[in-house]
Amino acid sequence: MILHMKKFLLSILLLVLAVSPVLAEDVQETKLKGEVTAVNIVDCDEGLGDEYICYTYDVYIKDTKESVQTMVSILQSSGESFKVGDAIYLTGMQDLDGNDTWSITSYARNGSILFWLGIFIILVFLIGGKKSLGSILSLFLSFLVLYIFIIPQIINSGNVIWVGYIGVFIILTLGMYLAHGFKKQTTIALVSTYIGVGIVSVLVLVLMESLHINGMGEETAFLLSSQIGESLDIQKLFFISIIISAIGVLDDVAIGQVSAMYEIYTVDTSIGGKELYRKTMNVGKEHVASMINTLFIVYAGSSLSLVMLMYLSNRDIGTLVSIDMISEEIVRTLAISIALLLVVPISTYISAGFLCKGK
């Protein structure tokens, strides 16, 4: 049965990998990629001080094989303009007279991103060996499920909760078996992670109600709401975003605990359940202590500039933590951290009971 399941999961993964380039190509066709061929300094409008410099760019569009000139871009003297030879993306629109106008959207970073992604994959193989192949496949699977299934389905249907939980189930189930193999340890860790997802879900609901969180703390949430409208519940989107964030941490802790227990048990198969539980929990306590601090540092660092800006406007810590964006991060950190604390003894207890039946 395990062999049939392996073939089934592999077939699904290959199908997703085969379809994804087609979908990605459709998205890329709406963008115009070009190369800067000239940088022109032009006069700025009256009213702008000497600290500003105005530019237009001559760009060769590779898709249409034509050259265009962009609208005026205004930069501070200390700012850095695009340079000749830079690969960029263009957006075009028509003005009131029906003339085409062009502006540079961003650098075309596809090549650089693929290069560094290749470096990352090579390092994974060098350090992890053949066993790391499953981890790479799990990583791509998670990206594809999020990009091809979860995001489009939420936008099209507005059914955030059902789509989110289905996506979480797919990422967890297929991802863990691909990364760690079809073993009893993986199944125990998977069950423990499912329990952790349930704990996080309850905690997030309680914390959101207690702290009056509506999910609109970040500017991106407001912009998304203004574009999509009432068909998307931003509060539910914030809820499911925490669940998705949690699964990567929860499965890491669960598989770490189960693997540690199996290693301990392999050394001494005569060990009793209580002693096995105690030894494995000693490992788990260290893991949890570092993981919770890591969560805080990651969340704090990802929004450090915004937190500093808020600190400058109001240095009272009580007022600062009550700001919507900060409160949302507190909810995220607390919910995942509490679930981590509970998943460690839960996964350890399940493993000990399974290994030490009758002892």
Side-chain angles (χ1 to χ4, degrees):
M1 182 172 179
I2 291 179
L3 181 60
H4 289 303
M5 186 179 293
K6 285 183 179 180
K7 292 181 178 179
F8 174 70
L9 295 179
L10 185 60
S11 300
I12 292 177
L13 180 63
L14 291 175
L15 179 61
V16 172
L17 290 173
V19 172
S20 60
V22 177
L23 297 177
E25 186 178 351
D26 290 338
V27 175
Q28 291 176 358
E29 286 179 355
T30 63
K31 295 182 179 181
L32 293 176
K33 188 174 182 179
E35 181 179 323
V36 176
T37 56
V39 180
N40 313 303
I41 300 178
V42 298
D43 294 332
C44 295
D45 293 335
E46 295 182 3
L48 290 176
D50 295 336
E51 68 270 19
Y52 293 98
I53 301 178
C54 297
Y55 301 90
T56 63
Y57 301 97
D58 294 340
V59 178
Y60 176 73
I61 303 177
K62 297 180 180 180
D63 296 331
T64 60
K65 301 187 184 305
E66 62 177 324
S67 296
V68 298
Q69 190 172 83
T70 66
M71 297 185 298
V72 176
S73 300
I74 303 174
L75 294 175
Q76 289 186 332
S77 300
S78 58
E80 184 177 353
S81 65
F82 292 95
K83 298 181 178 63
V84 174
D86 285 344
I88 50 88
Y89 279 115
L90 281 173
T91 56
M93 61 186 72
Q94 288 188 337
D95 58 19
L96 296 176
D97 298 326
N99 299 317
D100 291 331
T101 58
W102 301 91
S103 60
I104 296 178
T105 305
S106 65
Y107 286 100
R109 300 182 173 94
N110 310 50
S112 298
I113 291 174
L114 288 175
F115 170 78
W116 287 108
L117 181 60
I119 295 294
F120 165 73
I121 293 175
I122 291 172
L123 286 174
V124 169
F125 276 112
L126 288 177
I127 297 174
K130 295 180 180 180
K131 195 174 181 180
S132 61
L133 176 61
S135 301
I136 298 297
L137 292 176
S138 177
L139 171 64
F140 280 108
L141 173 70
S142 299
F143 172 78
L144 293 175
V145 171
L146 186 66
Y147 182 74
I148 294 178
F149 174 70
I150 295 179
I151 294 176
Q153 287 301 316
I154 287 178
I155 292 175
N156 295 331
S157 68
N159 198 335
V160 179
I161 301 301
W162 275 106
V163 172
Y165 273 115
I166 291 172
V168 165
F169 175 80
I170 295 172
I171 291 173
L172 265 182
T173 307
L174 297 183
M176 287 193 72
Y177 280 120
L178 282 172
H180 304 290
F182 293 82
K183 302 179 292 186
K184 294 176 182 178
Q185 297 98 305
T186 308
T187 303
I188 294 172
L190 183 60
V191 171
S192 302
T193 307
Y194 286 149
I195 296 173
V197 169
I199 294 171
V200 170
S201 301
V202 174
L203 287 170
V204 174
L205 289 175
V206 172
L207 287 168
M208 288 178 65
E209 180 67 24
S210 175
L211 299 180
H212 307 287
I213 300 297
N214 59 10
M216 297 292 288
E218 294 186 0
E219 183 181 356
T220 51
F222 177 79
L223 293 174
L224 182 63
S225 177
S226 63
Q227 288 192 18
I228 298 181
E230 297 180 357
S231 61
L232 181 64
D233 191 324
I234 297 298
Q235 189 177 40
K236 291 180 180 178
L237 185 64
F238 172 73
F239 169 82
I240 208 67
S241 71
I242 297 180
I243 307 303
I244 294 174
S245 301
I247 59 176
V249 184
L250 293 174
D251 73 347
D252 178 61
V253 170
I255 199 70
Q257 282 300 103
V258 176
S259 299
M261 176 168 287
Y262 268 75
E263 290 297 324
I264 295 172
Y265 186 76
T266 301
V267 174
D268 183 9
T269 56
S270 64
I271 191 171
K274 290 183 179 180
E275 183 66 14
L276 184 60
Y277 177 87
R278 186 186 66 80
K279 288 181 177 294
T280 310
M281 278 299 297
N282 289 336
V283 178
K285 290 173 184 177
E286 298 296 330
H287 196 179
V288 167
S290 62
M291 185 66 70
I292 290 176
N293 186 50
T294 301
L295 285 175
F296 171 75
I297 297 299
V298 168
Y299 292 143
S302 63
S303 54
L304 184 59
S305 58
L306 184 56
V307 174
M308 290 176 65
L309 182 63
M310 293 177 177
Y311 175 81
L312 289 173
S313 62
N314 193 329
R315 301 193 178 191
D316 178 57
I317 189 64
T319 305
L320 186 63
V321 297
S322 297
I323 296 172
D324 288 345
M325 191 208 73
I326 306 298
S327 297
E328 288 180 359
E329 295 306 322
I330 290 174
V331 169
R332 191 188 306 271
T333 305
L334 282 177
I336 297 177
S337 298
I338 294 173
L340 273 177
L341 290 171
L342 296 176
V343 163
V344 169
I346 288 172
S347 58
T348 308
Y349 182 83
I350 295 174
S351 300
F354 181 83
L355 285 175
C356 300
K357 288 180 181 179
K359 291 187 180 180

